[in-house]
Amino acid sequence: MAIANEIFDNAVAALGVGVKDVEARAKARAPVRSIFATDRYRFRPKSISELQADERAGFVGSATTWRHELYAPTKTASGFRSSLRRNWRQRQLQEAEFHLKAYQDEMRARKLGRGSGRLPQPTTLSRRGAYEVKTALAANRSQNPRSARWGHGGHATVGGRLRGEIYSTEPQRSGSRAEAWVISPTEYAKHQEFGTRHNRAHPYLRPALDESREEIVSRIAAAVREASRTGASKMDIEIRVRL
Amino acid sequence: MTVSSVAPVKRAIVQALRASPALVSAIAGGIHEGVAPRKVKYPFVVYQLVSAPYVWDHTGVIIPATFDVFVYAVNPVEANNLDALIAGALNEAELTVEGQTSLLCRRVADLPTGPDTDAAGKRIYQVGGSYSVWTSQLQ
């Protein structure tokens, strides 16, 4: 009996490892909105030294000066005050609007230039990104600035709430059964998983499970085999991996 | 060994759906992949690939693909009836997949979706199921 318990413990431990794997795969597959047309571009608010350099260079009529003028810094004994640092989020928003304007200008030019042989120019924002900036969805998305960054720190995406909220539970035993769950509690998780009339599905939980199924079963089988090398009596184990 | 992708499986599923005259006559809006265009008549069918992992062994590769097939209709009874027709067309169907051998095609789950509202404010019903389609390609 003790040996059977040991085998079951090993199987449950292997299940715990397997469910973490499913969680990781689900997070990797979970859709996250990207607002950039290319993943190599990043928004980066200009540093204070760059803004000071712009001011010294006397740039006029550019976004640089435009942003600078909005946040007219005050001088202190050490130079410009760090009020610009405190306004970094607003600076990001302003920079996003600058790119939105560039996107809109390009789309207008494409429309007017149809048939004239004008080559379309690449835009920084994707079509989705322009929508996000225009509707201020990205700006209003989160109370936490970290999850609403536009390119700062290397992020090319907005949000990430769906991905961030995926979690897994430890295996729970009940009698001769053990269960572990991977849960995506976000209220729109099912809309992403199954799709709606307006948006196609972006399945992430089921593909994660499908890809991990064989691995989980073989991991549990290996754990059972290892534990039963001590010469346990015959034991039946049924493994079900399901959504 | 040349391995073909899951694209022929998608074609085979659409062919199987179109092979049912009752279904074809009932679907006014057609069959779409992923998402239907905005101005499409109800009812219509949408299918979506969920996963298609490749399982290799010494004989070749098996693709145990999973597809979702949904019906969108303005009437829940109509949606359920069409879903039953789709299940009849696909469940245990012998699919003709180009370059692959169809091993099984089976409905494995009903999908939990409720009523929704479209862009025009019309109440619509999304009913469907998941289908497991296994195909093999031998070396």
Side-chain angles (χ1 to χ4, degrees):
Chain A
M1 190 63 187
I3 294 170
N5 280 339
E6 187 186 329
I7 293 174
F8 191 56
D9 288 345
N10 269 33
V12 170
L15 174 63
V17 172
V19 81
K20 290 286 179 204
D21 196 33
V22 176
E23 180 193 346
R25 283 184 207 246
K27 282 186 170 178
R29 284 185 163 271
V32 183
R33 296 195 317 282
S34 173
I35 65 171
F36 298 114
T38 165
D39 62 4
R40 282 182 292 179
Y41 190 85
R42 299 288 183 265
F43 278 141
R44 183 181 63 83
K46 289 203 171 185
S47 65
I48 292 174
S49 55
E50 284 171 327
L51 289 168
Q52 289 171 353
D54 286 345
E55 188 177 340
R56 280 193 292 273
F59 284 119
V60 177
S62 70
T64 314
T65 307
W66 170 58
R67 288 199 306 281
H68 192 198
E69 281 171 357
L70 285 173
Y71 310 113
T74 56
K75 272 198 175 179
T76 64
S78 60
F80 283 102
R81 188 163 68 101
S82 62
S83 64
L84 291 168
R85 283 202 195 100
R86 287 206 290 274
N87 287 327
W88 66 266
R89 185 144 184 266
Q90 258 191 311
R91 282 157 54 209
Q92 278 183 310
L93 297 176
Q94 296 294 343
E95 185 155 2
E97 284 164 11
F98 168 71
H99 286 278
L100 172 64
K101 187 174 176 313
Y103 176 89
Q104 288 170 333
D105 290 342
E106 169 59 23
M107 291 302 129
R108 203 171 299 122
R110 284 186 197 180
K111 195 173 173 183
L112 291 172
R114 237 173 246 163
S116 68
R118 178 190 181 272
L119 289 175
Q121 301 300 310
T123 56
T124 311
L125 292 178
S126 63
R127 185 173 172 180
R128 175 78 200 187
Y131 168 75
E132 296 264 350
V133 175
K134 189 176 166 188
T135 57
L137 268 179
N140 296 331
R141 182 54 63 184
S142 169
Q143 302 303 320
N144 180 359
R146 281 185 181 276
S147 66
R149 289 182 177 183
W150 288 334
H152 188 69
H155 297 286
T157 57
V158 173
R161 180 184 165 200
L162 182 73
R163 175 188 286 176
E165 291 186 355
I166 296 171
Y167 69 96
S168 60
T169 63
E170 291 296 319
Q172 302 292 324
R173 296 189 208 203
S174 101
S176 58
R177 282 182 57 162
E179 281 185 355
W181 296 82
V182 174
I183 299 172
S184 182
T186 317
E187 60 267 17
Y188 52 84
K190 66 178 179 203
H191 301 312
Q192 285 297 324
E193 181 72 25
F194 299 116
T196 65
R197 170 66 184 94
H198 312 286
N199 295 302
R200 68 181 302 151
H202 299 98
Y204 57 102
L205 285 174
R206 287 176 293 166
L209 180 65
D210 285 344
E211 285 168 13
S212 308
R213 193 186 302 262
E214 286 208 8
E215 214 173 294
I216 292 174
V217 171
S218 56
R219 187 175 270 137
I220 294 175
V224 166
R225 207 178 307 126
E226 181 63 33
S228 62
R229 277 196 317 172
T230 51
S233 56
K234 194 173 72 168
M235 182 181 189
D236 291 328
I237 292 186
E238 183 184 345
I239 304 168
R240 285 191 209 169
V241 181
R242 62 184 176 89
L243 178 68
Chain B
M1 178 189 171
T2 307
V3 176
S4 62
S5 69
V6 77
V9 182
K10 290 185 195 175
R11 287 196 286 272
I13 285 180
V14 176
Q15 275 170 11
L17 290 173
R18 290 204 171 121
S20 165
L23 187 62
V24 167
S25 61
I27 299 172
I31 301 171
H32 306 271
E33 183 181 0
V35 64
R38 193 169 283 189
K39 294 181 183 175
V40 160
K41 284 185 191 169
Y42 292 99
F44 59 85
V45 171
V46 169
Y47 67 95
Q48 167 82 40
L49 173 67
V50 174
S51 68
Y54 283 43
V55 178
W56 290 87
D57 63 17
H58 61 282
T59 61
V61 61
I62 291 178
I63 305 179
T66 306
F67 285 87
D68 287 345
V69 183
F70 283 107
V71 173
Y72 288 85
V74 293
N75 182 327
V77 173
E78 186 181 31
N80 283 305
N81 289 342
L82 285 173
D83 185 46
L85 284 176
I86 290 172
L90 289 181
N91 201 31
E92 305 295 349
E94 292 282 339
L95 297 178
T96 308
V97 183
E98 198 181 304
Q100 303 177 35
T101 307
S102 169
L103 299 177
L104 71 87
C105 175
R106 190 176 287 166
R107 183 165 172 131
V108 293
D110 290 339
L111 294 175
T113 50
D116 196 1
T117 312
D118 70 359
K122 203 185 295 182
R123 194 168 180 84
I124 54 170
Y125 296 86
Q126 180 187 1
V127 176
S130 263
Y131 294 85
S132 190
V133 181
W134 288 40
T135 58
S136 79
Q137 298 172 60
L138 298 175
Q139 272 181 337

